[in-house]
Amino acid sequence: MAPGLPTDEQEPQVLPFHQALPRLLRDPVTELAKMGTDAGGRIVRLHIGPFRPYLVSHPDHVQQVLKTDWSTFVREGMFWRPLRRVTGQSILGEGAGWESSRKVLQPLFTARYTASLGEDLADIIAGRVAELDEHARTGRPIDAGHQMTAIVNESVIKVLFGGRIPRDVAERLLPEFATCATSIGFRLLFPFVPYSVRVPGDRAFLAATKKIDEIVHPLIERALKEGTDTNEVVSALLRARIRETGTADLRQVRDDLVSVYGAASETTAVSLTWLWSVLHDYPDVYAKLREEIGQVVGDGPVRPAHVARLRYLRMVLQEVVRLYPPGWIIPRQAVADTEIGGVRIKAGSQVLVSPYTTHRLAEFWDRPLAFDPERWAPEQTERRHRYASIPFGAGPHVCLGRHLFFLKAPLVIANLLSRYQLTLANPQRLTPVPGASVRPKEKLMLNLLPIERSRQA
Ligand code: HEM
């Protein structure tokens, strides 16, 4: 305790520049999590650059920042600036703009509404997975990251645009978003570097953003011309903006569409990519998963009604987003002088809530680095601090797409596992790299063996 402070006032743990920087340059995601776990959930002040953010990981502190005191900790500041260059003023913003977008979008992502999309999504995903038969026939491995993104992309496009986008156009969006998501990494780690200075990734990021606009703007204009009385997201956004202002604010519609697309596709695809590495390391989990899918789905096609009965699969997914939460940091800026857990926080300070760290705190998770789906059995979750698990954030900004995730992701996995035996072609230790979400740095290649052949073998 520092002298002269009130008795309940605490000092954060401080990581000086010469210690923090080399670690963050070497392996940013792992090292940031270690800084938090080594401090046992105490607040850590990171002396990097001129702004010295606070790393917040204790569930009590997470609850305060994201929920109870959410209006003091807003989505502004230098960590959001890099992202806003592509998302603009949208559902991923703050204040009146965010509120109005949330009001329009929320009804389109409720559990019930999401379930109503199930039949269509099941068909789309089954069709896209079946296209991998050629790889199974020829023995050519697939690039897991690329294929998971492509499968997820088709289902997200369906939710956002209905049947309005030809497939080749939808596929042109894919690499541009992937470039944005990865090339933003340097700016997120070192957000204090002025924009007048070019940093690695800048050029690719700006070029990809321009291409996204070139694809998305004509799609919005086409939807406007064709009529907005259908139910997909683009129509709902156009209707709402026309109702509010009398004209369609195309820029605002573009910002929300691009934000939702980014939030929905990158996160889901990245979780599905990590999954294959985990299943390689835990063959017993793979076997149990395969058995459940066999029992529930049988030989027939995967339908949305199966999803609720695939309980172990849900637990596996919960465990994947615990160990590899795609939203690895949730940045906030304090708008007033305040305190978190006794640590004084000045207005303007940057606060980094870190699911990646919170999910590794030994104080809340038994053997935190082990992949153990059983920790999601109901009796175990009931005993846990509610804010120890925050893959989808919490409070008023909690993820809109979590129901969609728990529909899409099981459909993808059940389709893959009931069709093929999947094995990793290049097992290796993976390094998480920071970007808009946290991806493995290494490419993961998967061998597919048709399930009938694998049974005979
Ligand atoms: C594994 C999958 C996903 C993860 C881990 C994830 C994670 C998150 C997190 C951590 C936040 C909170 C951001 C903050 O508080 O600043 C968030 C917000 C959001 N997510 Fe997701 N997400 C996922 C899938 C999806 C999907 C499928 C959608 C599709 C619509 C989606 C749409 C959104 C939106 C629109 C927000 C902003 C909500 C608001 O601020 O009002 N997400 N997500």
Side-chain angles (χ1 to χ4, degrees):
M1 178 104 38
L5 291 178
T7 47
D8 59 348
E9 195 148 342
Q10 307 279 316
E11 287 290 345
Q13 177 149 332
V14 172
L15 262 178
F17 184 76
H18 69 277
Q19 283 179 18
L21 193 71
R23 289 176 64 182
L24 288 177
L25 283 174
R26 196 170 59 238
D27 186 353
V29 179
T30 313
E31 289 299 328
L32 194 74
K34 261 182 114 286
M35 291 169 192
T37 52
D38 287 351
R42 268 182 63 195
I43 291 174
V44 180
R45 187 142 204 212
L46 304 165
H47 283 208
I48 39 168
F51 62 105
R52 305 182 174 188
Y54 294 88
L55 177 66
V56 165
S57 53
H58 191 288
D60 286 348
H61 304 160
V62 169
Q63 178 171 9
Q64 181 191 343
V65 172
L66 296 185
K67 172 120 172 109
T68 29
D69 249 356
W70 73 279
S71 55
T72 308
F73 297 100
V74 300
R75 283 203 299 209
E76 296 296 347
M78 55 182 71
F79 282 99
W80 285 96
R81 264 184 73 196
L83 206 61
R84 298 260 156 87
R85 292 205 291 177
V86 63
T87 61
Q89 300 303 319
S90 71
I91 180 77
L92 294 179
E94 195 60 272
W98 160 73
E99 217 171 308
S100 125
S101 297
R102 179 114 191 165
K103 215 154 84 199
V104 179
L105 290 169
Q106 192 145 352
L108 301 177
F109 292 100
T110 58
R112 181 188 280 208
Y113 189 79
T114 301
S116 75
L117 304 170
E119 296 295 332
D120 276 351
L121 291 182
D123 289 343
I124 289 169
I125 290 169
R128 188 60 184 75
V129 168
E131 288 178 28
L132 300 177
D133 277 358
E134 198 218 320
H135 288 265
R137 221 175 20 250
T138 57
R140 205 156 39 89
I142 59 165
D143 172 343
H146 175 73
Q147 289 296 344
M148 295 308 116
T149 311
I151 297 169
V152 168
N153 182 52
E154 281 207 21
S155 55
V156 173
I157 288 286
K158 171 75 188 171
V159 176
L160 296 193
F161 296 100
R164 292 176 195 268
I165 305 194
R167 180 163 178 183
D168 62 314
V169 178
E171 285 186 348
R172 271 172 43 221
L173 271 176
L174 235 163
E176 308 308 338
F177 271 97
T179 302
C180 277
T182 47
S183 59
I184 202 174
F186 190 98
R187 287 265 172 219
L188 281 177
L189 275 178
F190 305 103
F192 49 86
V193 179
Y195 283 78
S196 50
V197 178
R198 274 280 156 98
V199 302
D202 266 354
R203 197 184 296 273
F205 183 90
L206 293 175
T209 305
K210 187 162 168 271
K211 288 214 183 103
I212 289 172
D213 279 345
E214 285 166 8
I215 300 169
V216 170
H217 274 299
L219 293 174
I220 300 174
E221 275 157 20
R222 187 170 142 190
L224 189 61
K225 246 192 239 136
E226 286 177 2
T228 58
D229 48 358
T230 43
N231 263 341
E232 67 278 354
V233 172
V234 65
S235 295
L237 285 169
L238 282 165
R239 276 199 306 274
R241 300 302 165 215
I242 293 169
R243 206 168 43 237
E244 272 169 18
T245 59
T247 56
D249 179 350
L250 297 193
R251 178 78 211 174
Q252 173 81 61
V253 173
R254 174 259 174 231
D255 287 353
D256 276 326
L257 272 176
V258 168
S259 298
V260 176
Y261 180 95
S265 54
E266 168 74 9
T267 47
T268 308
V270 162
S271 321
L272 292 178
T273 306
W274 284 107
L275 174 75
W276 303 113
S277 155
V278 171
L279 291 182
H280 171 82
D281 293 342
Y282 292 83
D284 48 331
V285 175
Y286 186 110
K288 198 166 167 187
L289 198 53
R290 179 70 201 90
E291 195 186 325
E292 182 186 72
I293 292 169
Q295 273 168 11
V296 172
V297 176
D299 289 334
V302 187
R303 299 317 307 166
H306 293 134
V307 171
R309 290 166 53 210
L310 293 167
R311 294 204 182 89
Y312 188 66
L313 172 49
R314 189 180 173 99
M315 286 156 67
V316 168
L317 284 170
Q318 284 172 301
E319 186 63 348
V320 169
V321 293
R322 179 189 72 83
L323 261 188
Y324 302 105
W328 63 295
I329 50 168
I330 306 181
R332 293 291 189 261
Q333 177 168 280
V335 288
D337 290 350
T338 181
E339 58 86 26
I340 307 173
V343 171
R344 209 187 299 168
I345 308 281
K346 286 216 180 87
S349 301
Q350 307 297 317
V351 172
L352 299 177
V353 172
S354 164
Y356 205 89
T357 308
T358 305
H359 296 174
R360 282 169 167 69
L361 287 178
E363 290 75 6
F364 297 90
W365 300 95
D366 183 30
R367 298 174 300 117
L369 298 185
F371 185 84
D372 179 10
E374 303 299 335
R375 44 174 122 240
W376 295 99
E379 21 350 313
Q380 295 222 31
T381 45
E382 276 157 22
R383 284 202 299 267
R384 201 171 295 134
H385 192 306
R386 193 156 160 218
Y387 291 83
S389 166
I390 45 160
F392 297 101
H397 288 299
V398 71
C399 177
L400 268 186
R402 58 206 187 285
H403 304 299
L404 187 59
F405 173 75
F406 283 111
L407 173 64
K408 267 186 321 183
L411 286 172
V412 175
I413 298 164
N415 266 290
L416 283 166
L417 290 193
S418 57
R419 213 172 171 92
Y420 314 112
Q421 172 79 30
L422 294 104
T423 49
L424 218 50
N426 58 344
Q428 59 194 302
R429 208 180 144 268
L430 300 179
T431 324
V433 285
S437 58
V438 60
R439 287 171 175 247
K441 183 167 156 195
E442 299 75 12
K443 210 180 242 198
L444 243 78
M445 302 303 290
L446 284 173
N447 286 320
L448 311 182
L449 198 58
I451 218 79
E452 278 312 312
R453 270 172 52 204
S454 81
R455 269 198 206 122
Q456 285 156 19

